[in-house]
Amino acid sequence: MKYLDEFNDPALARSLFEQIDAAATKSWAIMEVCGGQTHSIIRNGIDQLLTDRVELIHGPGCPVCVTPLEMIDRALAIAARPNVLFTSFGDMLRVPGSRDDLFSVKAKGGDVRVVYSPLDAVNLAQEHPDKEVVFFGVGFETTAPANAMAVFQARERGLQNFSMLVSHVLVPPAIEALMTSPTSRVQGFLAAGHVCTVMGTRQYEPLAERYAVPIVVTGFEPLDVLDGIRRCVLQLEAGSSEVENAYPRAVRAEGNQPAQEMLARVFETCDRQWRGIGMIPMSGWRLKSEFAAFDAERRFDVGELSVSEPVRCRAGDVLQGVLKPDQCECFGKECTPRTPMGATMVSSEGACAAYFQYRRLDPPAAVRRG
Amino acid sequence: MGHGGGGQLSAELVQHLFLPAFGEAARTATPTDAHVLELGNGVRLAFSTDTYVVRPLFFPGGNIGELAVYGTVNDLAMRGAQPLALSTGFVLEEGLEMDVLGRIATSMGVAALNAGVQLVTGDTKVVERGHGDGVYINTAGIGLLPDGVDIRPERARPGDVVIVSGEIGLHGIAVLSLREGLEFGTELRSDTAPLNHLVAAMLAACADIHVLRDPTRGGLAASLCEIAETAQVGIEFEERSLPVPEAVRAACGFLGLDPIHVANEGKLVAFVAPDHADQVLAAMAATDVGSRSTVIGRVVEGHAGVVVARTGFGSTRIVDRPLGEQLPRIC
């Protein structure tokens, strides 16, 4: 596995920086959709080394960050039940709910376990027939196929004690919501490479056309990101708005078809709340009615949940690219990874966490408005 | 749980709970690896203790017993001390197989011989089934400090050269991959080893080593941050000069971890004056455990208390110690 060095090569990076500099004759605002890309950008200082004419706006593609507070509170309520073995990806454990997080539920005696795959949760259900095993199924299209497979497998194995708390979100409706938002300054998109590995690139074509915006499918290593930016700038300068694949080693136009078939069997689209952003129509997946028996929302009645978000948290503005994390007055003061006000400060893909981790000593970024 | 992960939360627990609670009784306590006791007539003893909670008990390249011996030996060595004697305390979970305990004890004996230290006293307790992960081990040790040696984090100063004694991240990834049943193509083995012989070789080359640290839990990042904070100096290193094995890099990329946050065993990071760097590096490279020693960075004027990494692209970023436990990410 040599790829990591190759996609970090300083000489190639310098050449790409120069090409972007030469190509950009005007100022452009490009949004990287995925939080993984945001971290790569901040960690490697790509935005600092880039010409001032290209501004990177950090997008909403952090699954942990956009999982609605109501769903986090629901997860906390379920995980605290005595007979429940609650499983989740590690990222979710520190996400603040209205009062608590999964870590504190665990510290108070709740059986909360980190798994690396939802199928591990299915196996746990098989090994612990006396327990209700619940998996927290969050994420974009990237993680959805494995989650769909887990539910499918649980049914195949006839497991009565497995269920999933589903809070899946979809990228294309989010792009649409951003393009129709009056505050959006986005002129081009770096689409999330791994989402397109699953879903392909075709569903982005109507968006590029309708909003006359270039969409470049982009990877996550520093050189991937730079190449995505370069292609996006070239399109913007040429006035074109195509869907372009800058991540061909992982993405095909048609995507991963067996994965899509599994998704279509298990999930159906639904309206979904995005934490900090609000309701986006048809922007989520939920279990189809034939899998209702595996729906943790139905299985566990947690009563009325009263959710409360810290008033001063501006995670929603950060997620929509309206505000850079270090422009928030709470950043690094009341709000740190230890004392997070919003999920963007704790997720490994959250923009606030990236700024805190890698550059909290920099002077606040100048407010740049186009 | 995060309070035991060796990150920021562990340090805060000591600062804000234990030290204030111990009060006057902990007046002379040092938060470093080992405390140095002055016994008069120039005799100085280093004293240290550590408790080992490892799951699984056996992992590629080592086991909990070996860790328990080498860990305390290395804590002593990080003050420049040569270990004299170790105590061993066991907390056994009811139902632990005698054969397993026997294998652990045997490897402790071998490890002690390797390190040249005697196991001189011990204690055993048994807890009910379900109240432990098989076996927990505590070791405490004393060691003798050679004359003229003064190694502690406060001595890091601008200009110092930062050397690591080999590849980083092996132990953490080896344990993690076994614990979670992950495989990464190549088998990764933990780098568990005693460091006192390496330290002796370094001190023979130059008695004036400023700082030594073994970057165990919290990884290299935690050690560098701790030194930068304690000495109130800035530390800068080149990201591309870090010796990260390909398999560790691949595993970290996959799990969303940073190799500088991953635990090491049998590795040390040394701070030496620039004039002594070459001779110390040569002495390290001539040993088995230090054969891959390399310079990674420097202590700098400015950004006191902060560690900064210089990326291959020429940009810089802050390096933090991990907050608590490392959490694998979603996608």
Side-chain angles (χ1 to χ4, degrees):
Chain A
M1 292 249 264
K2 274 277 172 227
Y3 68 94
L4 286 164
D5 270 340
E6 285 158 18
F7 290 97
N8 277 293
D9 186 82
L12 283 173
R14 240 186 325 275
S15 150
L16 282 165
F17 277 119
E18 283 163 15
Q19 289 177 50
I20 294 165
D21 193 19
T25 63
K26 292 182 228 143
S27 289
W28 301 111
I30 298 172
M31 173 176 276
E32 83 277 2
V33 168
C34 175
Q37 293 164 335
T38 304
H39 265 254
S40 186
I41 287 163
I42 304 303
R43 186 177 201 282
N44 293 287
I46 289 174
D47 57 331
Q48 293 173 330
L49 297 168
L50 210 54
T51 163
D52 286 345
R53 295 185 299 287
V54 177
E55 183 192 356
L56 294 176
I57 299 179
H58 315 311
C62 160
V64 173
C65 305
V66 299
T67 300
L69 186 56
E70 186 266 337
M71 198 60 89
I72 306 278
D73 285 350
R74 188 175 294 276
L76 296 171
I78 294 173
R81 295 196 170 202
N83 198 35
V84 166
L85 197 171
F86 195 89
T87 58
S88 165
F89 291 130
D91 258 11
M92 295 303 295
L93 265 63
R94 278 200 203 107
V95 176
S98 293
R99 281 163 295 276
D100 246 345
D101 60 23
L102 282 169
F103 256 130
S104 19
V105 171
K106 185 179 178 186
K108 286 176 198 151
D111 193 350
V112 178
R113 301 190 197 178
V114 170
V115 292
Y116 294 85
S117 154
L119 290 169
D120 293 346
V122 176
N123 291 337
L124 279 170
Q126 204 150 18
E127 290 159 21
H128 300 273
D130 52 323
K131 288 231 174 191
E132 279 288 338
V133 175
V134 183
F135 179 76
F136 202 176
V138 300
F140 282 89
E141 294 93 324
T142 332
T143 47
N147 292 352
M149 180 58 101
V151 173
F152 188 79
Q153 281 281 329
R155 189 175 71 173
E156 293 286 289
R157 297 190 205 173
L159 292 175
Q160 308 284 319
N161 63 330
F162 176 83
S163 62
M164 192 176 286
L165 187 59
V166 180
S167 186
H168 271 295
V169 279
L170 307 172
V171 170
I175 290 188
E176 179 134 32
L178 282 163
M179 287 318 292
T180 50
S181 154
T183 52
S184 172
R185 299 178 294 128
V186 181
Q187 294 165 295
F189 284 97
L190 307 185
H194 292 156
V195 168
C196 296
T197 303
V198 175
M199 300 306 291
T201 61
R202 291 195 184 119
Q203 53 180 184
Y204 293 88
E205 280 162 12
L207 289 170
E209 199 180 306
R210 194 174 320 142
Y211 300 105
V213 62
I215 300 178
V216 181
V217 176
T218 304
F220 301 85
E221 297 302 327
L223 290 191
D224 288 324
V225 174
L226 279 171
D227 190 40
I229 297 169
R230 181 186 66 89
R231 292 177 189 233
C232 199
V233 168
L234 286 175
Q235 280 208 45
L236 287 164
E237 289 282 339
S240 81
S241 48
E242 308 281 316
V243 174
E244 195 175 339
N245 184 1
Y247 197 35
R249 72 179 188 281
V251 175
R252 289 188 207 95
E254 69 279 10
N256 177 343
Q257 277 168 339
Q260 290 168 27
E261 281 155 25
M262 180 53 70
L263 288 167
R265 278 181 93 152
V266 176
F267 291 134
E268 62 190 10
T269 48
C270 62
D271 295 346
R272 177 76 71 208
Q273 287 284 339
W274 291 51
R275 188 171 189 174
I277 297 177
M279 208 276 287
I280 303 179
M282 301 312 269
S283 67
W285 273 326
R286 66 177 173 215
L287 290 170
K288 281 186 164 172
S289 56
E290 60 169 301
F291 291 96
F294 298 93
D295 190 341
E297 252 187 283
R298 291 171 190 244
R299 190 174 296 200
F300 301 95
D301 179 12
V302 295
E304 278 293 298
L305 292 165
S306 71
V307 300
S308 73
E309 198 76 84
V311 185
R312 292 169 65 213
C313 179
R314 299 189 62 191
D317 290 338
V318 170
L319 287 165
Q320 293 172 79
V322 178
L323 189 81
K324 294 270 196 294
D326 52 2
Q327 292 166 343
C328 173
E329 60 173 7
C330 302
F331 176 83
K333 301 186 188 92
E334 298 98 310
C335 185
T336 70
R338 280 292 304 280
T339 53
M341 292 169 101
T344 45
M345 187 49 102
V346 283
S347 166
S348 65
E349 293 179 282
C352 297
Y355 273 68
F356 188 88
Q357 195 176 350
Y358 299 131
R359 61 170 60 149
R360 63 179 177 274
L361 299 183
D362 288 0
V367 183
R368 283 185 291 187
R369 289 286 153 91
Chain B
M1 266 313 278
H3 285 103
Q8 223 163 304
L9 296 176
S10 307
E12 285 176 16
L13 198 59
V14 173
Q15 262 328 308
H16 299 306
L17 194 148
F18 286 122
L19 290 181
F22 291 163
E24 188 59 13
R27 184 169 37 86
T28 60
T30 38
T32 50
D33 293 315
H35 183 72
V36 174
L37 298 161
E38 310 265 353
L39 301 184
N41 295 333
V43 178
R44 293 181 303 159
L45 270 188
F47 181 31
S48 183
T49 183
D50 209 336
T51 303
Y52 298 83
V53 181
V54 186
R55 193 170 53 88
L57 299 175
F58 294 83
F59 48 84
N63 63 57
I64 186 171
E66 218 172 76
L67 272 188
V69 171
Y70 291 152
T72 296
V73 164
N74 292 348
D75 282 348
L76 295 170
M78 293 309 103
R79 297 303 300 269
Q82 283 306 316
L84 291 173
L86 248 52
S87 71
T88 59
F90 295 87
V91 177
L92 309 177
E93 185 185 1
E94 186 188 16
L96 176 72
E97 287 169 35
M98 279 303 166
D99 166 56
V100 170
L101 187 57
R103 276 158 62 206
I104 291 170
T106 306
S107 68
M108 289 177 81
V110 174
L113 281 181
N114 277 343
V117 66
Q118 290 291 310
L119 306 176
V120 293
T121 179
D123 175 55
T124 307
K125 296 280 184 292
V126 179
V127 294
E128 279 171 47
R129 191 188 286 269
H131 289 250
D133 282 326
V135 54
Y136 300 141
I137 304 177
N138 171 275
T139 53
I142 51 169
L144 209 51
L145 235 67
D147 283 344
V149 168
D150 180 18
I151 301 174
R152 53 199 163 89
E154 293 84 353
R155 293 198 64 220
R157 65 189 64 156
D160 277 3
V161 173
V162 183
I163 306 171
V164 292
S165 67
E167 294 178 319
I168 62 167
L170 288 165
H171 175 74
I173 296 296
V175 170
L176 187 71
S177 39
L178 190 68
R179 177 158 46 183
E180 308 296 348
L182 305 170
E183 287 173 31
F184 298 104
T186 8
E187 194 203 2
L188 288 168
R189 299 182 67 78
S190 168
D191 37 6
T192 315
L195 292 168
N196 55 319
H197 306 309
L198 172 64
V199 171
M202 293 166 72
L203 287 172
C206 165
D208 189 27
I209 288 168
H210 293 167
V211 188
L212 290 176
R213 207 79 166 143
D214 58 337
T216 52
R217 286 177 315 168
L220 188 59
S223 294
L224 294 179
C225 289
E226 220 170 289
I227 294 165
E229 282 159 24
T230 311
Q232 277 304 300
V233 294
I235 299 175
E236 207 169 285
F237 69 86
E238 295 287 335
E239 201 169 31
R240 290 178 76 84
S241 66
L242 289 181
V244 183
E246 201 57 41
V248 170
R249 202 176 299 202
C252 284
F254 177 69
L255 295 168
L257 305 176
D258 193 326
I260 58 169
H261 289 152
V262 176
N264 306 278
E265 289 293 336
K267 294 286 148 55
L268 63 78
V269 54
F271 287 56
V272 292
D275 294 349
H276 299 143
D278 287 343
Q279 69 212 61
V280 171
L281 187 62
M284 293 172 78
T287 65
D288 264 355
V289 284
S291 62
R292 298 207 176 170
S293 298
T294 180
V295 171
I296 59 159
R298 273 178 183 279
V299 179
V300 295
E301 306 267 3
H303 59 82
V306 176
V307 181
V308 164
R310 198 164 277 285
T311 68
F313 304 161
S315 59
T316 53
R317 65 182 171 87
I318 297 175
V319 173
D320 255 340
R321 50 176 125 194
L323 186 59
E325 287 179 281
Q326 291 261 281
L327 299 174
R329 68 172 173 214
I330 289 186
C331 66

